[in-house]
Amino acid sequence: MDRFEAIRTLLAAVDGGSLSAASRSMTLPLPTVSRRVSDLEAHLGTQLVIRTSRKLILTEAGAAYVAAMRRVIEHIGEAERAASGEYRAPRGELLVTAPILFGTLHVAPIIHEFLGAYPEVSVRLLLSDALVDLTENHVDVALRIGKLPDSSLVARRVGAVRWVICASPDYLRERGEPATPAALSEHNCIAFEGLQTYRNWPFGAGAQTVTIRPRFSVNTADAVIAAAMAGLGIARVMSYQAARAVADRRLVALLRQETVDRLPVHLIHAPQPLLPVKLRAFLDFVAPRLKIALDRIEETYA
């Protein structure tokens, strides 16, 4: 038995949820995958997985073994990267995650510049509004908006954003501008929501909430902004999401004195004894450019 290949096969099966998934991802016959896992269990003298018709379930021993082997594989990867020169020159692939709209508007253009400056580095950019687990998904760096929970992750702050209230000039000419947050309850509003409903808009760090009356609800920020520009009502979105429309005077920012609370923006990554040069180069390149972009967004609302 090639123990290393057997371990790789077990991890692929666990990550994919089944032996069939490992067979597809490794382009191996299913009997080969099954035999490798069985041989590994025989070598260890213990059952690692419980096989069902649909998925694999790790035993207690299997969970501990898989966690340990992930660390071993990571150490092997670090040794290979060091031997190949990744710790001496920016080289290799980076996996980066960011929220969809912020990533589209601000992260992706900076990555384009970065790739031009570092031709031996490639980047996979995963845009998702879900909270992606860095360790589980082998993410090199993530952009996070909002207060960070206490963790072992390393964070570099690049600026801040905030919620803004806005509406089109046409809507305001017809309905007037709300003078206080409470007045929003008398206006048509556009709700940013999906399967769950969120009809209370907080102000002043949540000390005050206003129950809104949605004329239109939708689950993406760009659709909310489009509806606001069409005059359907008043919207509540992040400052970076509406900045371009406000700068172009297609939207007007409202209640500015009531929306001053800032949400921090960080670049985060897992701690490493020796930071790869490609990651250090990425952070040093991207962080100051994001700070400039966020400062310009804030100037839009000054």
Side-chain angles (χ1 to χ4, degrees):
M1 178 185 63
D2 185 328
R3 199 185 313 173
F4 182 70
E5 286 303 313
I7 291 169
R8 287 184 59 242
T9 304
L10 172 64
L11 294 180
V14 172
D15 290 340
S18 67
L19 297 178
S20 298
S23 172
R24 291 191 296 271
S25 67
M26 300 183 72
T27 62
L28 290 173
L30 182 58
T32 300
V33 171
S34 180
R35 185 180 67 252
R36 286 183 178 180
V37 174
S38 296
D39 288 349
L40 187 59
E41 290 178 318
H43 171 75
L44 296 171
T46 188
Q47 185 177 12
L48 299 175
V49 295
I50 299 170
R51 301 160 175 81
T52 70
S53 59
R54 293 188 175 182
K55 62 180 180 178
L56 293 181
I57 301 172
L58 284 169
T59 63
E60 184 176 351
Y65 184 76
V66 164
M69 289 305 101
R70 289 197 192 280
R71 292 193 294 271
V72 169
I73 295 297
E74 180 59 30
H75 289 321
I76 292 173
E78 287 185 5
E80 290 178 341
R81 290 194 292 271
S84 67
E86 186 174 304
Y87 288 99
R88 295 191 296 272
R91 180 182 302 142
E93 184 178 82
L94 289 167
L95 176 56
V96 181
T97 72
I100 294 173
L101 193 51
F102 191 93
T104 301
L105 294 175
H106 301 294
V107 178
I110 295 175
I111 289 178
H112 299 167
E113 295 181 48
F114 173 79
L115 293 174
Y118 295 94
E120 293 190 71
V121 180
S122 59
V123 175
R124 292 170 55 208
L125 177 59
L126 172 64
L127 298 178
S128 173
D129 290 333
L131 205 61
V132 178
D133 185 279
L134 273 63
T135 303
E136 182 178 334
N137 295 282
H138 309 289
V139 173
D140 293 291
V141 59
L143 185 135
R144 294 277 167 83
I145 297 174
K147 185 178 179 181
L148 296 175
D150 292 336
S151 74
S152 61
L153 296 174
V154 179
R156 182 184 298 193
R157 181 166 171 148
V158 293
V161 295
R162 58 192 167 107
W163 290 100
V164 296
I165 308 297
C166 54
S168 72
D170 288 344
Y171 177 86
L172 295 175
R173 278 192 291 269
E174 179 181 345
R175 297 292 304 275
E177 181 174 333
T180 65
L184 289 170
S185 62
E186 303 302 320
H187 281 264
N188 294 334
C189 292
I190 302 164
F192 186 2
E193 60 188 21
L195 295 176
Q196 303 297 321
T197 59
Y198 301 95
R199 303 295 168 88
N200 294 319
W201 287 357
F203 291 85
Q208 175 188 8
T209 61
V210 176
T211 302
I212 62 163
R213 182 181 60 192
R215 180 80 191 280
F216 177 61
S217 301
V218 66
N219 68 330
T220 66
D222 50 357
V224 169
I225 292 167
M229 290 191 296
L232 291 185
I234 297 175
R236 178 179 180 266
V237 293
M238 298 300 297
S239 53
Y240 73 86
Q241 295 168 340
R244 185 172 300 174
V246 171
D248 294 341
R249 302 182 186 278
R250 290 175 293 172
L251 290 177
V252 177
L254 310 172
L255 301 170
R256 298 189 186 206
Q257 299 305 313
E258 306 290 343
T259 55
V260 295
D261 295 321
R262 302 291 191 269
L263 296 174
V265 180
H266 292 92
L267 291 170
I268 64 172
H269 63 87
Q272 301 184 43
L274 186 61
L275 200 66
V277 175
K278 63 179 181 180
L279 179 53
R280 186 164 59 247
F282 182 85
L283 293 170
D284 290 344
F285 188 95
V286 172
R289 288 165 173 79
L290 280 176
K291 185 178 187 308
I292 291 171
L294 288 166
D295 287 345
R296 287 175 178 167
I297 289 170
E298 191 58 31
E299 290 171 1
T300 303
Y301 299 92

